[in-house]
Amino acid sequence: MKPYQPATLAAQGLGWIDEATKAIVPPLHVSTTYIRDADNQYRSGYSYGRNGSPAFAQPEALLTQLECGAAALTFASGMAAASAVFLALKPGDHVVASQVMYWALRKWLQGAVKEWGVSVDFVDGSSTDAIAAAVIPGKTKLIWMETPANPLWSITDIAAAAEIAHRSEARLAIDSTVATPVLTRPLELGADIVMHSATKYLNGHSDVIAGALVTFRQDEFWKRITEVRINNGAILGTFEAWLLQRGLRTLYLRVERCCCSAQAIAEHFVGHPRVAAVLYPGLPDHPNHAIAARQMQGGFGGMLSICVKGGAQAAIDTAARTRLWKRATSLGGVESLVEHRASVEGPGTPAPPELLRLSVGIEDVADLIDDLEEALAGT
Ligand SMILES: Cc1ncc(COP(=O)(O)O)c(C=O)c1O
């Protein structure tokens, strides 16, 4: 039989049915502990909730399939997932990371990570040459890239970065939060690990903080990451796991809608008299459009940024005038959000002061455009 398409697997949550009751929606698995067999074994595979739970097993199995990986782990947040990868490194290891990335992770990498002897060099992640030049053979153990990267939406050529990593026996990890498996499957392009803030599109309803990693192979490094999760205890709550599984079932519909609307909004505001620039990889003049077109299928994501003429205050005032776009941080939910990114990231941010980040939701796109037009008109 022909294998089902990912959208089908997601919609049906892998077709799970409860054998005892025939329910098609999974129950909430809240138990923290599991019965040991009389001969002292744990044949169910579960012993204690921090080590693993049927609550996580469902979204992990689905994400493994959607990302075409060998295994997945969910975490208490995207930061817990990302930091587990770095905590699995050893003192003396070197990392090459993209300059443009989720700001809190960059801050953590610039600070705490150094203290236990892991060094990190930040490079332009959209330049394959810059990534290659930063690798120290024998010492670089990890290349960490975010693509599309917050908040400029620059794109890393994943296949080229994977080749560079593997030439030096390093691993490539991709923060694919913005692309989601709907648009890009980094493991198929050669990455070793894919990371998601599942808080964003995977859950999609701004009501769960969660993270996930999916691995191409279950090797020693993956074992170390699994141990980090068990020992640091940064596990997903059982209700959050249940909500995440429910959110994943509409992932394909939501992402398709967000992409279509983001493309329409980006095209609408190009050349607008009050907009200095529109940053969106789906625009032909985006510096990385060609790579994005090659490695993203079905759209360029639901995230874009606009630079408002008149500087930081004009951008902040524009956000203040929106009625439909909600002034809030985060991204990937069904409701559209607007944020003055430099205010969040502070000194050292790659975000220009006049930049507004837009997370496009699933509302009617004409309403979104009208609201932004009105907000800009007051500048
Ligand atoms: C691209 C990206 N990666 C990682 C994170 C961190 O995820 P969380 O907030 O779930 O810890 C975020 C959060 O905004 C993000 O946007």
Side-chain angles (χ1 to χ4, degrees):
M1 205 179 74
K2 206 171 123 226
Y4 292 126
Q5 296 296 317
T8 305
L9 299 176
Q12 297 208 353
L14 292 182
W16 180 90
I17 293 169
D18 180 63
E19 282 312 318
T21 64
K22 304 297 174 193
I24 64 164
V25 173
L28 252 177
H29 288 282
V30 294
S31 189
T32 56
T33 191
Y34 301 84
I35 297 284
R36 208 185 253 281
D37 299 323
D39 61 357
N40 219 27
Q41 305 298 306
Y42 274 119
R43 283 193 191 76
S44 72
Y46 300 110
S47 55
Y48 181 56
R50 182 159 44 75
N51 300 349
S53 154
F56 324 146
Q58 292 218 344
E60 287 171 358
L62 181 52
L63 279 171
T64 301
Q65 293 272 318
L66 300 184
E67 289 287 9
C68 301
L73 288 169
T74 53
F75 289 82
S77 65
M79 278 297 284
S83 57
V85 177
F86 292 92
L87 291 167
L89 294 170
K90 294 183 180 161
D93 287 351
H94 174 252
V95 178
V96 176
S98 43
Q99 253 151 17
V100 182
M101 67 150 88
Y102 176 56
W103 73 284
L105 181 62
R106 186 177 60 240
K107 211 166 141 201
W108 184 70
L109 293 178
Q110 285 165 338
V113 169
K114 283 192 189 147
E115 284 166 23
W116 75 83
V118 170
S119 55
V120 186
D121 278 320
F122 294 91
V123 299
D124 174 1
S126 67
S127 162
T128 302
D129 290 345
I131 298 170
V135 169
I136 307 170
K139 200 164 181 309
T140 303
K141 293 290 159 38
L142 179 69
I143 297 180
W144 178 278
M145 295 286 141
E146 178 178 316
T147 181
N150 244 305
L152 307 180
W153 318 116
S154 43
I155 306 289
T156 297
D157 182 337
I158 298 172
E163 210 186 301
I164 294 165
H166 298 156
R167 237 188 275 143
S168 298
E169 293 180 19
R171 290 175 180 81
L172 175 67
I174 297 290
D175 181 340
S176 197
T177 296
V178 170
T180 80
V182 180
L183 307 176
T184 307
R185 284 192 294 279
L187 303 182
E188 285 190 332
L189 296 169
D192 301 277
I193 291 176
V194 56
M195 176 259 157
H196 289 281
S197 166
T199 312
K200 320 299 181 192
Y201 292 99
L202 297 188
N203 178 63
H205 294 76
S206 309
D207 53 11
V208 167
I209 300 277
L213 296 174
V214 188
T215 184
F216 182 70
R217 77 185 80 72
Q218 289 184 279
D219 56 7
E220 198 50 37
F221 192 63
W222 185 249
K223 209 169 132 210
R224 285 168 66 88
I225 290 173
T226 307
E227 282 164 8
V228 169
R229 186 181 75 164
I230 292 172
N231 296 324
N232 282 14
I235 55 162
L236 196 52
T238 54
F239 182 48
E240 285 74 9
W242 187 91
L243 281 171
L244 173 58
Q245 180 74 353
R246 187 170 77 159
L248 281 167
R249 293 174 80 149
T250 56
L251 175 69
Y252 283 73
L253 265 184
R254 288 184 285 102
V255 171
E256 282 162 21
R257 172 68 170 241
C258 294
C259 284
C260 274
S261 297
Q263 184 78 38
I265 293 166
E267 287 172 8
H268 179 90
F269 286 100
V270 168
H272 188 282
R274 313 238 178 206
V275 174
V278 179
L279 310 180
Y280 185 61
L283 293 174
D285 66 351
H286 184 283
N288 312 133
H289 176 69
I291 308 163
R294 213 167 53 231
Q295 83 182 14
M296 300 180 82
Q297 279 99 42
F300 296 91
M303 297 301 301
L304 69 143
S305 297
I306 59 168
C307 295
V308 179
K309 282 186 186 165
Q313 198 54 50
I316 291 166
D317 293 346
T318 300
R321 280 190 294 270
T322 58
R323 286 178 302 131
L324 190 56
W325 295 80
K326 301 288 175 244
R327 274 184 311 283
T329 196
S330 200
L331 57 101
V334 290
E335 62 285 296
S336 294
L337 305 180
V338 57
E339 183 173 49
H340 180 248
R341 208 49 206 165
S343 297
V344 176
E345 300 195 10
T349 175
E354 67 279 15
L355 180 144
L356 287 180
R357 188 180 82 172
L358 304 178
S359 171
V360 179
I362 63 167
E363 304 93 334
D364 188 291
V365 69
D367 286 342
L368 292 172
I369 289 174
D370 288 351
D371 192 44
L372 210 47
E373 277 283 6
E374 280 170 27
L376 283 163
T379 55

